[in-house]
């Protein structure tokens, strides 16, 4: 993340919660986002960890207050405490483990039922580095990105030695139906990690930003978000491998 | 086994029943938590490992003439200061078979010690007498350090100890013919095992080897235990070859320790008790009971998910040798009285209404404690917290602030408390976690040192705030920020840092001229201990295998001394032992327990003199070494 402008911009805090099955890489995504670091053998989170990180958008600064929850079943009952006032949620699955997508869907359903109505939800398939997509899709990065990225991914799934078990298509279709942002990431390489948070920052409705910890406010995840999103993306120096960064995903945003 | 008859003195005179806790919810337990009534639950609790610590106690220190006055105090065992060693097995719980086992293990493992029953006198002298020629030879060099020149690896059976903590490899994918054989051999080569299984025979935990590998061994263990159980004569322990087996039954769970390190039964038992406490800390007692009442064949591994690494780091700290666990006491960071006072005050002043306990801890040593007048903190609970924060990597490496539900079983085994933890960032103590755009990646976190490491200058400072209110995170976070601000402003944080970095003192600076290599001093009234640096004598340089072995040798010697002093009917006050490789001295008064180690050639007189110097130092420094009372609100 580059800090383009040092001039004071309006700044607001956004409470964000990470949910998902144990060991899908929630803490690793946060560690990548906050410290730009990765640990090969990260120990399971106990309870929950609270971290903050700023995200600079062209027009404003978002201060994320991140709740990284434990995925282990025995902590599940504590989750409402963390998502209750959240304005954004990152629901993570491991794209080498189909069961973790099932679990992610449960979380999405629970959020839609119980969290504040305006909550912005992103579905994130993590551990993209374990797939063969890089080889199959580096070539597609330029060409195929604007078309359906799903095609390239599902090809990848057929490759032998590819650990991918959840096709991009399947997850993307589900995300679209439910109006979720959707990304495939690798906390290990850093691929698409900042993008997830930037997209969320952009998707938070202005109205809910006014009251820093309000969380209510539904309404337009609108066009301003998209524009800013584009800008945020261009700041990013990383090579963007086949990221399914479809701005349209935002439109359905849980309102 | 011993449930329910713990002597009242163990709970401390000022300890009232804990307050009711909010009901807990746990998904995996189906039946839900609040089941067992509080009273019932209390009957089931194992005795707290020790007296509450940092409590103001009734012992009247001033009546004792220190240090020589100990001669006059032999007849009593300290009244209010509690007669136990701080361990889980109070003497009156011992059954005779346990006693027999104890002396057996001393006999068979400790070549340098006599069976405690024989030791009626205060000082046994050099009973390990050698030939005149040998005496002559060794007198040539009075200053040989301990554990030199003898192949101790063989003598103490520590050969291979440096590989004790290595993992047993996963089974090869396509079962190579002899693969399992190799893995079983590796498994058998471990000097210490801990296993937990349900009384229905379901494996729950094993320190070494995946449960598949040792399933059959577990089966055997279960069969043996339940045979005796059936005969209404529970099996407490047995010896097979050079391995001692100790078994503890806690409700629906069997705990088994297998040791070739020469620990006594009661020492092993208190280790097993700590593992049980860890399980209760994850589940709470009512939940544990409910699970097994409804389905005795439940696989407990699922509800315990994630606890395994905590059990292992506890187990490894015992296997490495933990003075804190041995003595049932805590170590504090040495600070000037006025400094600690000002830290306590800042801490108390910023106190949130939601707070139950507040702790500041630097590198596993207690810096400051604040607590309600009615409640003390138990060493066994603190052991669990310290283990979670400092020995197992999860929280330390996570960055940010943590909010952790946990049960502190000695405080209240039927409900959860909520623990706020944040490590002070050295550069930017007022910010618990980075709020700036990502800095260049920080230096990659080193692999944590071996488990249970007794590092001298681990200077990580953590603040721990505990509340019964699960919604109080932001209150406690706020308190933390204020405390951090205050401590930074007054310079206290820098002082804590400096003290932690300084590490433990050298013996030579404590008692110049004393030829003592290492000691443990436990203040019984405060349930705290202090010790000098392990470097260089027991450091061996770096984290290498030599260090591991050198420390274990030292800790084994302490374990033997401790076992002899605490063996039933021994009534020992002073014990002096000389072996081929080291001389050691143990000394217990109502005020302190003292253990020290020196080279084999040191005379008893010189050793006693050195011990006296150290004890005088500890008396002089008492208010720096120990937290006396702590901040009370
Ligand atoms: N290859 C690869 N491994 C990853 C990635 N992200 C995380 N991991 C690994 O997956 C394991 C689990 O990661 P965590 O970040 O602890 O997962 P978590 O979701 O926080 O788990 P809980 O805290 O138990 O809920 C760790 O060993 C990580 O190193 C990734 O993008 N690629
Ligand atoms: Mg985690």
């Amino acid at each position: 993340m580059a800090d383009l402008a040092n001039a004071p911009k309006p700044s607001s805090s956004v409470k964000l919660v990470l949910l998902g099955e144990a060991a899908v890489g929630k803490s690793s995504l946060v560690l990548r986002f906050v410290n730009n670091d990765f640990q090969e053998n990260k120990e399971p989170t106990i309870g929950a960890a609270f971290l903050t990180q700023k995200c600079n958008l062209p027009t404003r600064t978002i201060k994320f207050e991140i709740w990284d929850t434990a995925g282990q079943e025995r902590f599940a009952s504590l989750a409402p405490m963390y998502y209750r006032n959240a304005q954004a949620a990152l629901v993570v699955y491991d794209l080498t483990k189909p069961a973790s997508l099932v679990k992610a869907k449960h979380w999405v359903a629970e959020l839609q039922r119980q969290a504040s109505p305006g909550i912005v939800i992103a579905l994130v398939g993590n551990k993209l580095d374990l797939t063969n997509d890089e080889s199959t899709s580096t070539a597609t990065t330029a060409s195929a990105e604007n078309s359906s990225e799903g095609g390239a991914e599902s090809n990848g799934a057929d490759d032998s030695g590819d650990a991918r078990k959840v096709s991009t298509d399947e997850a993307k279709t589900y995300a679209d139906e439910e109006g979720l942002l959707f990304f495939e990431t690798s906390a290990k390489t850093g691929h698409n990690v900042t993008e997830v948070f930037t997209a969320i920052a952009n998707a938070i409705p202005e109205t809910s930003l006014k009251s820093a910890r309000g969380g209510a406010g539904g309404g337009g995840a609108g066009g301003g978000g998209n524009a800013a999103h584009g800008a945020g993306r261009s700041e990013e120096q990383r090579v963007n491998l086949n990221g399914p960064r479809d701005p349209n995903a935002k439109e359905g945003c849980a309102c | 086994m011993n449930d329910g008859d713990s002597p009242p003195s163990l709970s401390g005179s000022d300890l009232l029943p804990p307050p009711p806790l909010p009901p807990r919810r746990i998904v995996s337990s189906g039946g839900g938590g609040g089941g067992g009534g509080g009273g019932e639950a209390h009957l089931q609790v194992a005795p707290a490992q020790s007296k509450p610590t940092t409590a103001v106690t009734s012992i009247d220190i001033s009546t004792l003439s220190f240090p020589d006055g100990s001669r006059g105090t032999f007849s009593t065992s300290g009244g209010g200061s509690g007669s136990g060693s701080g361990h889980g097995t109070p003497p009156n719980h011992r059954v005779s078979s346990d006693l027999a086992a104890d002396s057996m293990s001393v006999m068979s493992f400790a070549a340098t010690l006599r069976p405690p029953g024989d030791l009626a006198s205060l000082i046994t002298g050099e009973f390990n007498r050698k030939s005149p020629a040998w005496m002559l030879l060794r007198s040539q060099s009075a200053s040989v350090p301990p554990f030199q020149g003898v192949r101790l690896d063989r003598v103490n059976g520590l050969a291979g100890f440096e590989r004790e903590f290595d993992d047993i490899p996963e089974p090869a994918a396509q079962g190579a013919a002899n693969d399992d054989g190799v893995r079983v051999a590796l498994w058998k080569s471990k000097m210490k095992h801990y296993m937990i299984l349900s009384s229905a025979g379901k494996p729950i935990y094993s320190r070494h080897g995946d449960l598949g590998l040792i399933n059959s061994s577990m089966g055997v263990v279960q069969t043996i235990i339940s045979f005796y159980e059936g005969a209404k004569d529970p099996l407490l322990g047995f010896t097979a070859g050079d391995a001692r087996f100790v078994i503890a039954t806690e409700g629906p769970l069997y705990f088994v320790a297998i040791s070739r390190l020469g620990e006594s039964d009661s020492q092993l038992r208190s280790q097993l008790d700590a593992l049980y406490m860890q399980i209760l800390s994850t589940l709470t007692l009512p939940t544990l009971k409910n699970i097994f009442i409804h389905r005795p064949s439940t696989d407990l591994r699922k509800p315990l998910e994630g606890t395994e690494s905590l059990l292992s780091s506890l187990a490894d700290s015992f296997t490495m040798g933990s003075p804190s666990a041995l003595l049932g006491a805590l170590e504090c960071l040495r600070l000037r009285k006025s400094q600690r006072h000002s830290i306590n005050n800042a801490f108390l002043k910023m106190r949130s209404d939601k707070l139950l306990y507040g702790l500041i801890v630097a590198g596993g040593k207690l810096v400051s404690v604040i607590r309600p007048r009615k409640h003390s903190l138990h060493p066994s609970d603190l052991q669990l917290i310290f283990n979670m924060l400092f020995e197992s990597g999860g929280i330390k490496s996570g960055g940010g602030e943590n909010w952790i539900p946990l049960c502190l079983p000695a405080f209240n085994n039927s409900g959860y408390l909520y623990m706020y933890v944040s490590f002070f960032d050295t550069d930017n103590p007022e910010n618990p976690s980075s709020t700036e755009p990502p800095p260049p990646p920080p230096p990659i976190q080193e692999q944590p040192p071996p488990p249970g490491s007794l590092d001298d200058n681990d200077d990580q400072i953590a603040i721990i705030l505990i509340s019964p209110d699960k919604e109080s995170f932001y209150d406690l976070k706020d308190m933390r920020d204020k405390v951090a601000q205050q401590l930074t402003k007054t310079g206290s944080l820098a002082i804590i840092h400096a003290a932690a970095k300084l590490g433990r003192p050298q013996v030579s600076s404590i008692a110049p001229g004393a030829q003592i290599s290492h000691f443990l001093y436990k203040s019984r009234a405060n349930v705290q201990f202090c010790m000098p640096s392990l470097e260089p004598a027991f450091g061996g340089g770096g984290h290498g295998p030599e260090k591991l072995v050198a420390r274990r040798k030292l800790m084994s010697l302490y374990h033997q001394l401790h076992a002899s002093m605490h063996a039933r009917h021994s009534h020992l006050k002073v014990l002096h032992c000389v072996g081929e490789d080291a001389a050691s001295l143990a000394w217990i008064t109502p005020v302190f327990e003292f253990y020290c180690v020196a080279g084999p050639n040191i005379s008893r007189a010189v050793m006693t003199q050195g011990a006296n110097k150290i004890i005088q130092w500890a008396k002089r420094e008492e208010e720096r070494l120990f937290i006396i009372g702590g901040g009370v609100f």
Side-chain angles (χ1 to χ4, degrees):
Chain A
M1 206 177 311
D3 41 354
L4 281 183
N6 286 329
K9 282 179 286 193
S11 126
S12 28
S13 357
V14 167
K15 202 175 150 193
L16 179 148
V17 62
L18 282 99
L19 298 166
E21 198 176 74
V24 295
K26 297 178 295 297
S27 304
S28 300
L29 286 168
V30 175
L31 186 66
R32 174 61 73 189
F33 177 57
V34 173
N35 280 339
N36 194 20
D37 192 8
F38 178 75
Q39 289 167 7
E40 205 55 65
N41 289 309
K42 194 140 181 50
E43 299 222 18
T45 306
I46 309 176
F50 180 84
L51 300 97
T52 59
Q53 174 65 298
K54 278 181 189 152
C55 183
N56 279 309
L57 301 181
T59 55
R60 59 188 189 213
T61 302
I62 300 283
K63 184 185 173 201
F64 280 114
E65 297 179 354
I66 303 169
W67 275 111
D68 170 23
T69 65
Q72 286 169 355
E73 206 47 46
R74 65 191 177 96
F75 296 111
S77 63
L78 292 170
M81 194 161 88
Y82 304 113
Y83 65 64
R84 204 173 37 215
N85 297 314
Q87 291 140 281
L90 225 139
V91 179
V92 187
Y93 66 95
D94 175 345
L95 44 69
T96 69
K97 280 211 197 107
S100 69
L101 179 61
V102 175
K103 182 74 204 174
K105 289 179 180 174
H106 283 141
W107 280 123
V108 170
E110 181 167 340
L111 286 172
Q112 288 169 338
R113 248 186 344 216
Q114 320 246 31
S116 45
I119 191 167
V120 174
I121 306 175
L123 180 70
V124 173
N126 188 38
K127 308 202 183 176
L128 188 63
D129 57 286
L130 297 178
T131 70
N132 282 345
D133 296 359
E134 276 152 279
S135 53
T136 54
S137 53
T138 348
T140 65
T141 308
S143 61
E145 197 183 12
N146 51 356
S147 72
S148 154
E149 61 289 315
E153 311 296 344
S154 38
N155 288 346
D158 299 331
D159 284 14
S160 57
D162 188 343
R164 178 191 283 276
K165 295 275 166 48
V166 178
S167 77
T168 307
D169 249 356
E170 178 191 352
K172 175 79 169 72
T173 308
Y174 165 75
D176 285 347
E177 278 166 13
E178 300 296 331
L180 319 172
L181 301 171
F182 175 66
F183 289 89
E184 290 189 337
T185 60
S186 166
K188 186 169 179 171
T189 65
H191 176 79
N192 249 353
V193 175
T194 318
E195 284 81 348
V196 177
F197 289 90
T198 313
I200 287 176
N202 280 304
I204 302 288
E206 293 276 359
T207 46
S208 80
L209 287 179
K210 295 278 158 52
S211 51
R213 246 174 222 175
N226 280 344
H229 179 198
R233 187 178 146 206
S234 66
E235 288 166 18
E236 187 51 50
Q237 297 297 318
R238 275 189 208 97
V239 181
N240 187 6
L241 301 176
N242 75 310
R245 329 189 41 265
D246 188 352
N248 295 326
K250 241 172 273 132
E251 283 186 357
C253 192
C255 316
Chain B
M1 334 161 305
N2 295 326
D3 290 349
D5 58 346
S6 85
S9 71
L10 274 182
S11 347
S13 50
D14 59 348
L15 188 76
L16 298 181
L21 287 158
R24 61 174 303 264
R25 293 195 283 158
I26 191 164
V27 158
S28 47
S29 73
E40 190 194 348
H42 273 278
L43 283 180
Q44 290 294 318
V45 66
Q49 281 207 352
S50 297
K51 263 176 56 70
T53 182
T54 71
V56 182
T57 78
S58 52
I59 188 166
D60 189 357
I61 294 173
S62 62
T63 61
L64 302 167
S65 55
F66 216 73
D68 299 331
S70 54
R71 282 200 186 88
T73 58
F74 285 166
S75 55
T76 106
S77 56
S81 78
S83 55
S85 65
H87 272 264
T89 317
N92 58 340
H93 287 168
R94 291 267 198 81
V95 291
S96 51
S97 62
D98 199 359
L99 166 66
D102 251 2
S103 37
M104 259 177 58
S105 64
V106 170
M107 287 252 275
S108 53
F109 288 110
T112 55
L113 294 185
R114 278 183 165 188
D118 295 352
L119 295 170
S121 68
L122 296 183
I123 297 183
T124 60
E126 299 163 42
F127 55 75
N128 221 3
R129 201 173 289 280
K130 298 292 169 182
S131 73
W134 195 84
M135 297 297 286
L136 195 70
L137 253 179
R138 75 162 207 177
S139 63
Q140 303 283 311
S141 53
S143 57
V144 176
F147 308 136
Q148 295 287 309
V150 189
R151 281 291 303 153
L152 266 132
D153 296 4
R154 245 179 297 114
V155 174
N156 277 5
L158 279 177
F161 186 72
E162 67 275 9
R163 291 185 300 276
E164 176 73 15
F165 303 102
D166 295 355
D167 285 338
I168 295 173
E170 300 283 308
Q174 245 69 48
N178 63 349
D179 181 51
D180 261 10
V182 172
R183 294 170 64 234
V184 169
L186 256 179
W187 183 74
K188 285 186 177 162
S189 75
K190 302 293 182 191
M191 312 195 78
K192 192 83 171 274
H193 288 279
Y194 296 90
M195 295 181 201
I196 305 174
L197 54 159
S198 74
S199 44
K202 280 254 163 67
I204 294 167
Y205 169 80
S206 165
R207 172 58 189 91
H208 299 293
D210 54 289
L211 294 174
L213 181 70
I214 59 159
N215 222 343
S216 53
S217 312
M218 285 264 197
V220 174
V221 169
Q222 194 260 343
T223 310
I224 297 174
I225 298 174
S226 49
F227 173 79
Y228 283 90
E229 203 99 310
K232 295 273 174 290
D233 180 20
L235 180 63
L236 297 171
F238 58 92
T239 303
D242 57 353
R244 180 71 192 165
F245 288 64
V246 167
I247 292 137
T249 309
E250 302 284 359
L253 304 180
Y254 294 144
F255 294 77
V256 183
I258 307 170
S259 174
R260 290 193 276 138
L261 292 171
E263 295 137 298
S264 76
D265 278 20
S266 62
Q267 288 164 356
L268 290 170
R269 211 167 278 290
S270 79
Q271 297 171 9
L272 292 179
D273 193 53
L275 299 186
Y276 176 52
M277 291 294 154
Q278 176 57 65
I279 288 181
L280 290 184
S281 176
T282 300
L283 291 176
T284 75
L285 183 62
T287 306
L288 179 66
K289 285 199 294 190
N290 269 341
I291 290 176
F292 283 99
I293 285 170
H294 295 303
R295 283 188 50 217
S297 64
T298 304
D299 182 353
L300 202 60
R301 278 176 293 172
K302 190 69 184 169
L304 282 178
E305 195 184 29
T307 307
E308 200 164 289
S309 66
L310 297 174
L311 291 171
S312 290
S313 57
L314 268 179
D316 287 355
S317 72
F318 301 145
T319 304
M320 295 259 305
S322 152
S324 171
L326 175 68
L327 300 174
L330 295 162
E331 193 178 10
C332 296
L333 186 72
R334 185 164 165 240
L335 285 176
R336 285 179 171 282
K337 185 185 173 190
S338 60
Q339 289 164 350
R340 202 181 313 271
H341 197 68
S342 100
I343 295 168
N344 282 350
N345 283 345
F347 211 7
L348 279 172
K349 207 169 76 189
M350 306 300 170
R351 179 173 68 86
S352 150
D353 289 342
K354 304 282 171 63
L355 188 78
L356 176 62
Y357 295 125
L359 307 164
I360 296 174
V361 184
K365 303 190 194 75
L366 214 47
V367 176
S368 169
V369 181
I370 60 174
R371 63 180 177 89
R373 188 166 300 284
K374 292 199 298 254
H375 298 294
S376 306
L377 265 165
H378 293 261
S380 62
D381 284 343
L382 281 170
Q383 180 181 39
L384 297 179
I385 294 176
F386 282 25
N387 176 59
M388 181 186 278
L389 300 191
F390 295 99
E391 306 295 352
S392 77
I395 289 162
K396 201 163 44 175
S397 68
E401 296 151 273
N402 297 273
W403 189 234
I404 298 167
L406 89 170
C407 165
L408 295 180
F411 169 74
N412 179 339
N413 63 19
S414 62
Y416 284 99
L417 297 171
Y418 295 83
M419 178 165 79
Y420 170 94
V421 182
S422 127
F423 282 86
F424 285 106
D425 185 346
T426 333
D427 313 319
N428 196 2
E430 289 185 31
N431 286 331
S433 61
S434 121
T435 51
E436 299 308 308
I444 305 297
Q445 208 116 25
E446 275 180 43
Q447 277 303 90
S453 70
L454 297 169
D455 263 355
D456 264 337
N457 34 20
D458 177 353
D459 63 344
Q460 292 194 78
I461 304 177
I463 182 165
I464 299 163
L465 305 173
I466 297 174
S467 167
D469 179 359
K470 77 169 172 179
E471 304 282 346
S472 59
F473 174 84
Y474 288 104
D475 291 297
L476 299 185
K477 176 181 166 50
D478 190 49
M479 171 178 171
R480 180 259 178 228
D481 291 345
K482 287 183 189 152
V483 171
Q485 211 171 27
Q486 186 69 18
L487 293 183
T488 310
K489 204 173 74 191
T490 58
S492 295
L493 203 59
I495 290 170
I496 298 172
H497 251 294
K501 254 206 151 63
L502 201 61
R504 303 184 181 100
Q506 297 286 338
V507 182
S508 56
S509 71
I510 293 168
Q515 291 176 37
I516 287 178
S517 305
H518 198 265
F519 68 83
L520 302 177
Y521 177 98
K522 172 180 173 179
S523 161
R524 297 176 69 173
N526 295 308
V527 206
Q528 292 162 41
F529 80 98
C530 66
M531 66 178 201
S533 171
L534 287 158
E535 318 282 346
F538 304 97
H543 282 299
E546 306 83 26
K547 190 170 187 167
L548 214 57
V549 175
R551 283 184 184 173
R552 182 62 228 184
K553 280 176 195 161
L554 178 67
M555 288 312 300
S556 286
L557 193 50
Y558 283 140
H559 277 75
Q560 289 163 1
L561 285 174
H562 180 274
S564 303
M565 296 305 281
H566 292 274
R568 189 143 152 81
H569 302 312
S570 74
H571 302 300
L572 278 177
K573 301 304 168 203
V574 180
L575 175 65
H576 177 240
C577 305
V578 182
E580 280 184 30
D581 49 329
S584 52
L585 177 78
W587 184 359
I588 298 189
T589 77
V591 177
F592 62 80
E593 280 181 38
F594 178 78
Y595 306 87
C596 71
V597 174
N601 300 340
I602 187 175
S603 75
R604 192 202 304 165
V606 172
M607 191 149 190
T608 312
Q609 211 173 43
N612 263 318
K613 272 191 187 166
I614 294 169
I615 288 161
Q616 275 164 18
W617 168 82
K619 171 64 180 166
R620 219 169 38 238
E621 297 269 312
E622 187 175 27
E623 293 191 276
R624 296 181 178 183
L625 293 170
F626 304 118
I627 294 179
I628 299 171
V632 174
F633 56 87

